[in-house]
Amino acid sequence: MRKGKIFTLIFCILMTSTFTYANSGPTYWRGYPSYEILTIEENSPIKVLNEDLMFDFTKDEFLEYNGYHMPAQVTAKYTMLNTSETNEIVQMAFPFISYMRDFRPEAINIKMNNKEIPFEVFIGDEFDAGNKTRHSEEELDFRLIIESISSGEYVPTNYNLDDIGTLYTYDIVSEDDEDINIKISYNYDNERSRIISKGFNGYEGSNGMETLSSWVINNEKLEMFVLGEEVNFDFAAYLDGEGENETDNYSLKIKTEDISIGEYLDREMELFKSEFNYLDKLAGNQFSNIITKLLDEQIEMNVVNLSIDGLFSMDYIERFFVLVYSVEFQPNSTNDISITYNSIGTMDRTKTADPIYTFNYILNPAKNWESFKNLNIEIKPPEKHPYIIDSSVELIRGEDGVYTGSFETLPEEDLLFSLYYNEKISVNDKIRGIIRSNYYLFIGLIPWAFGILIGIVYRRLKNNKKIR
């Protein structure tokens, strides 16, 4: 009996280790909603006589695919009427949700009567992506998004951009190709002084003593900017991360400079902005407003370890981007306005083995025009996912596989549709989806089940021998 148990255990261990490291990929990849355009002014005299809205998944030359998200080229064409007796210059806005480095205005095209018109890019508040399945109406409220953008300069309340501080620059060179761990310790009153660091990747704080650390390979520059009362820094270098094996096998140059915090932030801003390709379209001082506001908020929250690296990690945060452009209308005249851009859908494999791609288009901003009529929707699905299995509005599939829908007035619900490889989600798809979503559980159970089965068979064979 003991041999049978040992055999079963060994078999289970071997089988489990065989499958544990399989990578099945993500099951959910969030996309972003698209919006109707909106006039910024109140009581607009502009009517929308017609809108043609197209989602085109066949324009491969414009779209970048990967295994987890599906993009579409979206074009919204409007015929608009100025009902007033005067010339009207109407400001229009169109929002996106994107990471700062991922925003691609080169894929955006805005035209009036078939002629391109310029637009400016404004950067709004952070997008709270805490709920992966749906977002609150307030969070996506277009007017709140518009209120979060500004071309004016942000004025901090917890510091003055003209305040002079001292910038300490530590130029460190390790010798003999040794990696050394730099530790800078200090004790200060954060009500009387503020310290902003750069280049450090470790922090410790206890009993009023703060320590910043960083590994130095060959040559590194570290910075400490002090605003307010002077602070004394203790510098030390170690060969280990615990700070037990101190070394003097390095050279150190310390440079000090008196500089305003505004100028210090501007220097860092220039380095940051050099990596973005849409500066020519960016309105006003959008980047600097974000930085000065973020620093202001951190000081307000009494954050002790202020870091330039942390401040400029904002490009890893999803934000609202708003395109703003102006259209001139002659009295009692119409204009044809179009906007083309790329939209990203949500990939969901939590319930099916094959992905479902869902796109959301928020229609309610169109209610801000004087009136809205005649919405025509056309969706050209991709070859591998040719079927719409769910839609918030009625869509008809033509013989060419294109889905269309026409509505005399604006639908009450926003547009939402889901693409799938098949016309329906079959029972087999659902079973495969359950297995895939619980992949590691099934893989873990299978070898143990086999092990138990083999153990049972082994014991029966052994018992049969005894009976004989």
Side-chain angles (χ1 to χ4, degrees):
M1 180 66 73
R2 187 181 177 188
K3 289 181 179 179
K5 290 182 179 179
I6 293 173
F7 177 76
T8 302
L9 180 62
I10 292 173
F11 180 82
C12 289
I13 293 172
L14 290 174
M15 286 293 292
T16 303
S17 63
T18 303
F19 294 101
T20 299
Y21 300 102
N23 181 11
S24 58
T27 57
Y28 191 93
W29 193 279
R30 187 185 61 253
Y32 305 112
S34 299
Y35 288 82
E36 282 283 285
I37 62 172
L38 174 71
T39 176
I40 295 179
E41 292 91 351
E42 298 285 343
N43 303 317
S44 170
I46 306 300
K47 289 183 177 181
V48 178
L49 303 180
N50 187 82
E51 177 185 356
D52 295 326
L53 176 63
M54 176 186 285
F55 283 77
D56 192 344
F57 296 86
T58 65
K59 298 280 189 179
D60 289 341
E61 64 269 29
F62 298 110
L63 305 174
E64 294 180 4
Y65 292 84
N66 65 32
Y68 307 130
H69 77 241
M70 177 187 290
Q73 186 185 64
V74 181
T75 299
K77 296 181 179 179
Y78 306 84
T79 299
M80 294 180 164
L81 169 66
N82 176 17
T83 62
S84 74
E85 302 290 336
T86 60
N87 195 64
E88 297 284 340
I89 298 178
V90 181
Q91 263 198 322
M92 300 182 186
F94 189 88
F96 288 85
I97 299 169
S98 176
Y99 292 97
M100 297 190 70
R101 293 187 190 276
D102 291 343
F103 185 60
R104 296 288 181 265
E106 65 270 16
I108 300 166
N109 185 277
I110 303 176
K111 292 182 178 181
M112 181 183 74
N113 301 328
N114 290 322
K115 292 183 179 180
E116 287 192 31
I117 57 176
F119 60 87
E120 286 188 298
V121 178
F122 288 81
I123 305 176
D125 287 340
E126 295 179 16
F127 173 63
D128 182 8
N131 189 333
K132 74 175 184 178
T133 55
R134 56 181 302 181
H135 305 286
S136 68
E137 291 183 6
E138 181 178 350
E139 180 188 12
L140 298 174
D141 184 270
F142 200 29
R143 292 198 170 275
L144 294 180
I145 297 171
I146 295 299
E147 289 174 5
S148 75
I149 66 172
S150 173
S151 58
E153 182 177 354
Y154 177 82
V155 179
T157 58
N158 293 287
Y159 65 96
N160 191 320
L161 289 169
D162 294 327
D163 290 342
I164 301 297
T166 302
L167 175 62
Y168 295 81
T169 302
Y170 297 85
D171 191 349
I172 309 151
V173 178
S174 63
E175 299 176 0
D176 299 333
D177 295 327
E178 282 188 316
D179 298 345
I180 57 175
N181 186 25
I182 300 300
K183 292 182 179 290
I184 298 180
S185 302
Y186 52 93
N187 192 339
Y188 78 109
D189 183 347
N190 62 5
E191 295 294 329
R192 299 183 179 182
S193 303
R194 296 289 175 186
I195 296 176
I196 305 175
S197 63
K198 180 182 179 181
F200 296 89
N201 49 36
Y203 170 79
E204 300 174 22
S206 63
N207 300 321
M209 180 65 71
E210 317 292 332
T211 301
L212 293 173
S213 60
S214 177
W215 283 95
V216 171
I217 304 172
N218 297 324
N219 177 228
E220 299 284 347
K221 286 187 178 180
L222 306 175
E223 292 181 355
M224 305 284 283
F225 179 81
V226 180
L227 190 66
E229 288 189 355
E230 185 178 346
V231 176
N232 293 321
F233 296 110
D234 293 327
F235 184 96
Y238 301 88
L239 295 176
D240 61 309
E242 293 74 23
E244 297 177 354
N245 188 6
E246 192 167 358
T247 180
D248 58 2
N249 199 18
Y250 64 92
S251 64
L252 170 65
K253 294 180 181 178
I254 303 177
K255 175 186 174 184
T256 61
E257 178 185 7
D258 291 334
I259 184 177
S260 72
I261 186 171
E263 187 177 351
Y264 177 56
L265 293 176
D266 283 343
R267 288 183 184 179
E268 297 299 326
M269 187 66 61
E270 289 304 312
L271 295 173
F272 179 73
K273 291 193 300 185
S274 64
E275 301 182 29
F276 292 85
N277 65 350
Y278 52 88
L279 295 178
D280 59 326
K281 296 185 180 297
L282 203 62
N285 41 17
Q286 300 294 288
F287 286 156
S288 60
N289 279 352
I290 293 174
I291 291 296
T292 53
K293 181 180 179 181
L294 183 57
L295 180 59
D296 200 24
E297 291 172 345
Q298 290 193 355
I299 293 175
E300 179 72 28
M301 292 186 294
N302 207 28
V303 175
V304 175
N305 184 29
L306 299 172
S307 165
I308 280 289
D309 305 295
L311 288 176
F312 285 89
S313 66
M314 61 180 180
D315 52 302
Y316 300 106
I317 298 171
E318 293 168 303
R319 288 186 174 272
F320 286 103
F321 286 72
V322 182
L323 309 183
V324 176
Y325 50 99
S326 296
V327 176
E328 184 175 1
F329 288 83
Q330 300 298 320
N332 298 307
S333 67
T334 61
N335 280 329
D336 291 326
I337 311 298
S338 70
I339 178 167
T340 300
Y341 60 94
N342 289 350
S343 178
I344 302 297
T346 294
M347 185 277 287
D348 189 352
R349 298 177 72 179
T350 58
K351 297 178 181 178
T352 57
D354 292 282
I356 300 172
Y357 293 97
T358 300
F359 288 78
N360 187 0
Y361 189 89
I362 296 178
L363 293 165
N364 65 75
K367 296 177 181 178
N368 292 277
W369 301 103
E370 184 179 288
S371 65
F372 183 101
K373 292 182 178 180
N374 302 321
L375 171 64
N376 304 298
I377 299 173
E378 182 177 353
I379 301 171
K380 296 181 178 180
E383 182 179 352
K384 293 183 179 179
H385 293 79
Y387 297 102
I388 293 180
I389 59 171
D390 186 29
S391 174
S392 60
V393 298
E394 184 178 355
L395 299 171
I396 300 173
R397 189 174 193 265
E399 293 183 0
D400 57 357
V402 175
Y403 288 84
T404 58
S406 296
F407 311 89
E408 292 184 1
T409 59
L410 198 66
E412 288 297 322
E413 293 185 68
D414 292 325
L415 173 62
L416 184 145
F417 64 91
S418 299
L419 295 165
Y420 198 54
Y421 83 98
N422 207 351
E423 289 186 79
K424 294 181 180 180
I425 299 175
S426 66
V427 175
N428 182 48
D429 289 341
K430 292 179 181 179
I431 293 173
R432 289 168 57 217
I434 292 172
I435 294 174
R436 188 185 185 284
S437 297
N438 299 277
Y439 178 81
Y440 291 107
L441 175 62
F442 278 97
I443 291 299
L445 289 175
I446 289 172
W448 283 100
F450 270 112
I452 292 171
L453 180 62
I454 291 174
I456 292 172
V457 172
Y458 177 84
R459 286 195 295 273
R460 286 185 177 180
L461 291 174
K462 189 173 182 179
N463 289 335
N464 286 341
K465 287 182 178 180
K466 290 180 177 180
I467 292 173
R468 293 175 184 177

